Amino acid sequence: MTLRDTGCPARRDGREEYDVVVRGGDVVLPDRVARCDIAIRYGVIADVVEVAAKTGAGGHLADAAGRVIDATGCVVLPGLIDPHTHMGIPIKDATSADDFTTGSLAAAFGGVTTILDFTVQESGQSLREALDVRLGLAGGRCHVDYGVHNNVTDHSVFARGQIIGPSADPIGDLIDEGFDSFKVFTTYREAGMMSSWDQLRAVLGPIAAHGGVLMVHAEDDGILAAAGAMHRDDDHRAAIFHARSRPARAEAEAIRRVASLAGECDAALYIVHLSSELGLHAGLEARRRGVRVHLETCPHYLVLDESAYRREDGHLYITTPPLRRPDSCAALWQAVRDGDIDTIGTDHCPFTRAQKAGGDGAYWNTPNGLPGVEDRLALLYTYGVAEGRIDLVRLADLLARNPARIFGIDDRKGAIRVGHDGDLVVWDPRVERVAGPGHGSADWSPYQGMRLVGQVTHTLLRGRVLVEGERFVGGPPGGKLVRARR
Ligand code: URP
Ligand code: ZN
Ligand code: ZN
């Protein structure tokens, strides 16, 4: 059966009809898994032909291919989208260890073909200028395609007008250009990144009016300040007090408040790195009231818990929000299973052991963040699919299709469909292995030593093979900027 009936491919001028054909894999289509051949021409999926599972009958695409990748016995997923990475950002006295080049290389090894990163808005800098700086850092340096969310951390520029390119409607202008997501923080006051509720309300209006998305790091700063005051002295330096100083009720309270504001404006909300059962309930409650709220969690909130902070090297695991108790992991897994969680981003923000040690044992001085972009698929396959919690279609929804839809790139990305970019990941579920430190710049991984089922055998970006087995074969960085469709 041909999913788009193009007939038998003819050769053009003696050249192959297709640049590459991925043959005979169990292909994760938007609604089911089917044994298919997938042909890519000029970087775009040109044909998807279902082949008989036993005989292979029906598969003729490979005859007209410049290159054939045999995916027999493997699962073929759409190239994955990580909607939440932080390449080379300043946190405390450190800079996250991966830049766009090293981080995107690690991403490719994890089957990720698009990352969505964030601007860093310096004080006094317009959103436009912050975006230009970030695009300058990513351009020509990223091995996978990339998009950028706009961080909004200095609201004074709205009052004073934009520093670069004065505009009456800076948010609307960016949305019109395909940069339609904006992120605010309800905490990080000390770092000068926090938005007040009034500032947040002010940006929600134009975001809603232009059909953008407000992304929120949701932890109520007042609750954190009170909890932090009790856990920030020489007796409370250890990593476990990072968790105690950032209780889950702070997440729930911030979600309730921001959802109520978003509901008033009918704005789309995206809660990043949802970490707790309480936060989950707040998000679901808002959704029941009709607020358009998307929920993202991260692999570390599913497969790790706060007991990591009691390890000798517990400070390595400091990330914000903190790892939670095991019952939160179970509740988040249930939500993943039920379809209540929309996406799994990684919040990839690695620091080396030396950088983490720079905090001198005090949790509040330790740069916060964890790597994850490379391990996300393996973790979700191992602890999700192989353990029977989710099926392959849901896996692809969480890691590709939903982020593409929410961030407006689903006309090109996120699904295996004719006309979409030839972004594919071939996954061999027969491999069993133990997680290592990975290919990024951090010299450790929070998942190191964990049992993993499955391995990427090939990652293709717009038809170009980036990863083949253990090797990176993608050549110089060729990732392109992706904008939301207008
Ligand atoms: O601790 C974390 N998650 N670091 C990255 C910045 C953020 O808050 O997402
Ligand atoms: Zn955050
Ligand atoms: Zn983040």
Side-chain angles (χ1 to χ4, degrees):
M1 179 189 150
T2 305
L3 300 181
R4 189 196 66 164
D5 195 2
T6 54
C8 221
R11 292 176 190 250
R12 298 162 305 188
D13 306 319
R15 292 180 55 221
E16 283 82 12
E17 177 72 4
Y18 304 119
D19 301 321
V20 53
V21 166
V22 177
R23 182 172 63 188
D26 292 325
V27 175
V28 186
L29 298 166
D31 57 347
R32 70 206 156 92
V33 179
R35 181 83 36 97
C36 293
D37 291 353
I38 304 167
I40 299 172
R41 182 168 54 218
Y42 303 138
V44 171
I45 297 177
D47 258 310
V48 183
V49 174
E50 202 163 327
V51 296
K54 286 215 172 76
T55 62
H60 54 254
L61 300 183
D63 300 342
R67 174 167 185 193
V68 177
I69 293 172
D70 186 2
T72 306
C74 292
V75 171
V76 184
L77 290 148
L80 306 181
I81 298 168
D82 190 337
H84 189 158
T85 67
H86 300 284
M87 304 305 177
I89 63 157
I91 293 197
K92 297 185 178 152
D93 289 332
T95 299
S96 61
D98 273 328
D99 59 19
F100 277 99
T101 303
T102 60
S104 62
L105 186 120
F109 274 103
V112 175
T113 51
T114 306
I115 57 169
L116 304 180
D117 208 272
F118 296 83
T119 63
V120 178
Q121 187 194 16
E122 305 290 351
S123 168
Q125 195 177 40
S126 70
L127 298 185
R128 156 81 49 197
E129 192 184 30
L131 176 63
D132 288 344
V133 170
R134 203 70 184 148
L135 294 180
L137 287 172
R141 296 195 177 94
C142 202
H143 288 290
V144 300
D145 286 352
Y146 59 93
V148 183
H149 309 294
N150 301 283
N151 265 10
V152 184
T153 50
D154 182 356
H155 294 258
S156 69
V157 295
F158 295 112
R160 287 188 281 114
Q162 296 282 284
I163 309 268
I164 304 280
S167 163
D169 184 7
I171 289 179
D173 290 349
L174 291 172
I175 293 176
D176 287 348
E177 290 175 38
F179 299 100
D180 68 350
S181 40
F182 298 82
K183 180 175 171 205
V184 294
F185 301 81
T186 65
T187 183
Y188 290 162
R189 183 193 291 272
E190 286 169 19
M193 294 165 72
M194 178 176 139
S195 298
S196 70
W197 299 111
D198 283 343
Q199 288 169 333
L200 214 146
R201 189 197 298 270
V203 294
L204 270 167
I207 291 174
H210 293 274
V213 185
L214 183 73
M215 306 173 76
V216 186
H217 173 129
E219 288 181 291
D220 182 90
D221 198 65
I223 295 178
L224 296 189
M230 295 192 299
H231 299 107
R232 196 165 170 159
D233 53 44
D234 273 349
D235 294 335
H236 297 89
R237 296 164 68 85
I240 188 64
F241 297 112
H242 173 63
R244 296 291 170 265
S245 69
R246 303 187 90 94
R249 65 178 188 285
E251 180 168 72
E253 176 61 12
I255 291 173
R256 267 192 293 275
R257 289 189 74 160
V258 73
S260 147
L261 295 179
E264 285 170 26
C265 308
D266 192 26
L269 261 194
Y270 182 98
I271 305 297
V272 298
H273 52 46
L274 182 76
S275 63
S276 68
E277 183 172 11
L278 283 178
L280 170 69
H281 289 159
L284 294 181
E285 170 56 24
R287 211 179 255 170
R288 272 192 291 276
R289 283 187 285 107
V291 181
R292 290 187 289 141
V293 50
H294 304 292
L295 299 175
E296 171 201 89
T297 191
C298 308
H300 43 279
Y301 300 121
L302 294 168
V303 305
L304 300 175
D305 63 56
E306 67 168 37
S307 63
Y309 295 130
R310 302 221 182 255
R311 292 167 53 127
E312 210 174 315
D313 59 358
H315 64 288
L316 291 177
Y317 294 78
I318 288 176
T319 192
T320 303
L323 302 175
R324 304 292 187 189
R325 297 204 164 97
D327 45 351
S328 266
C329 305
L332 290 172
W333 267 121
Q334 189 59 45
V336 165
R337 197 176 190 150
D338 293 346
D340 288 334
I341 299 279
D342 297 289
T343 67
I344 298 182
T346 62
D347 197 6
H348 180 80
C349 188
F351 294 97
T352 62
R353 288 176 184 275
Q355 287 176 307
K356 288 279 190 182
D360 207 20
Y363 75 81
W364 58 86
N365 285 333
T366 304
N368 46 294
L370 298 176
V373 75
E374 182 169 348
D375 290 323
R376 182 182 60 153
L377 171 57
L379 292 165
L380 267 290
Y381 187 87
T382 304
Y383 298 99
V385 177
E387 296 204 354
R389 292 182 166 111
I390 53 172
D391 63 16
L392 285 167
V393 171
R394 177 106 191 94
L395 178 76
D397 283 350
L398 289 159
L399 304 189
R401 199 156 160 238
N402 290 350
R405 176 174 50 80
I406 293 166
F407 295 111
I409 56 174
D410 54 337
D411 53 338
R412 291 147 281 163
K413 305 280 189 194
I416 297 177
R417 270 188 219 285
V418 171
H420 272 217
D421 285 355
D423 299 346
L424 299 175
V425 44
V426 183
W427 177 254
D428 188 343
R430 298 163 296 192
V431 175
E432 296 215 11
R433 62 194 169 101
V434 172
H439 294 83
S441 295
D443 47 355
W444 73 288
S445 154
Y447 312 108
Q448 215 164 319
M450 284 173 74
R451 178 188 68 89
L452 296 177
V453 178
Q455 177 135 40
V456 169
T457 71
H458 296 82
T459 302
L460 284 77
L461 173 68
R462 287 179 273 103
R464 205 153 58 87
V465 180
L466 298 185
V467 169
E468 194 171 3
E470 299 289 315
R471 290 182 311 134
F472 184 81
V473 295
K480 288 190 183 159
L481 171 67
V482 288
R483 298 171 191 243
R485 80 183 118 71
R486 274 138 282 169

